[in-house]
Amino acid sequence: MEKFYLIVGHVDWIARLVPLGVKLVQLRIKDAPIDEVRAQIRRAKQICDAHNCQLIVNDYWQIAIEEHCDFVHLGQEDMDEADFEAIRSANIRFGLSTHDEDELDRALSFNPAYVALGPVYPTILKKMKWAPQGLERVTRWKQMVGDVPLVGIGGLSVERAPGVLAAGADSVAVVTDIQFADDPEARTREWIEICS
C-alpha cells in the first residue's frame, strides 16, 4: 500500500494534485446532490486512470459499482448500510475506519483491504468523540491487525508522518495539512518526498 494517502473533498483537488505524482487518493464528498457526486467520481476516475493513481471512493459504494471503480472507503455508520456481498461481487476492495477495539474487531471480520485508525493527533477536520489515539495506539493496532495494512489518520503533517510510520502505520492519510497549506502543490511534493 502507498505510504502517502491523500484525501480530498472535491474532484478539482484531484485534478490539481494527482498530476504531481500522487498514487493514492480518496474522494470524500459531503453534502452534494447525487448527480454531482456521480459526475465528480466519474471525472476523478478518468484523472486517476490517466496518472496511474488509485482512486478510493468514500461512502458511495453503489456509484462506485456503477462507475466501475475498484476501491471504496466506509466509515462505521456506512458499514451498517453497505451491501458487502454486492461490493465483493463487483471486485471492489474496501478500507474501513476504526476508532476503538470493538470497531477494529468488527472491521477485521469483513476482511478489509486496510483499516484506518484515527484520530492519531487532534484534528480540526470534524468533531470527534474519540480522544487523539497517539503513537502507542498505532503500534498496538498494528500488532492486532497483523498483515492487514494500517492507515493512520487525523492531525497528520509532514513533520509528524515519519513518527506515525515508525510506530507501525503502513500509510498516512492527510487532509487539512495540504488543503489549508499556503501552497498545496508544494506541500503535496513534500509529502510525496517524505513518503518515498
Side-chain angles (χ1 to χ4, degrees), residues 23-117:
K23 294 301 175 192
L24 179 64
V25 66
Q26 181 188 130
L27 180 58
R28 178 162 67 189
I29 303 169
K30 300 292 180 190
D31 305 321
I34 203 72
D35 290 347
E36 163 78 4
V37 171
R38 184 184 304 280
Q40 285 202 43
I41 289 172
R42 189 173 291 168
R43 183 169 162 230
K45 185 174 187 302
Q46 291 169 346
I47 295 165
C48 288
D49 286 352
H51 290 90
N52 192 28
C53 176
Q54 174 66 65
L55 173 65
I56 300 179
V57 174
N58 183 273
D59 293 356
Y60 294 97
W61 56 270
Q62 301 99 322
I63 297 177
I65 291 172
E66 292 160 11
E67 293 297 325
H68 307 290
C69 298
D70 57 11
F71 219 130
V72 296
H73 180 89
L74 301 170
Q76 288 287 317
E77 302 81 19
D78 307 314
M79 289 163 62
D80 297 334
E81 314 289 325
D83 183 342
F84 281 95
E85 202 170 303
I87 292 168
R88 285 193 184 94
S89 295
N91 290 317
I92 293 179
R93 293 177 293 158
F94 53 87
L96 302 172
S97 293
T98 66
H99 308 88
D100 59 39
E101 291 187 16
D102 289 342
E103 290 185 356
L104 179 62
D105 288 344
R106 180 184 184 213
L108 291 174
S109 74
F110 288 99
N111 195 24
Y114 70 80
V115 293
L117 169 66

Side-chain angles (χ1 to χ4, degrees), residues 90-157:
N91 290 317
I92 293 179
R93 293 177 293 158
F94 53 87
L96 302 172
S97 293
T98 66
H99 308 88
D100 59 39
E101 291 187 16
D102 289 342
E103 290 185 356
L104 179 62
D105 288 344
R106 180 184 184 213
L108 291 174
S109 74
F110 288 99
N111 195 24
Y114 70 80
V115 293
L117 169 66
V120 177
Y121 291 100
T123 175
I124 58 172
L125 184 63
K126 55 183 177 180
K127 268 274 191 244
M128 287 280 189
K129 63 180 181 181
W130 298 275
Q133 308 277 0
L135 297 181
E136 287 175 14
R137 177 72 66 93
V138 173
T139 302
R140 197 164 95 241
W141 237 239
K142 187 55 190 173
Q143 290 164 350
M144 292 164 74
V145 301
D147 292 336
V148 178
L150 177 64
V151 176
I153 186 170
L156 299 194
S157 63

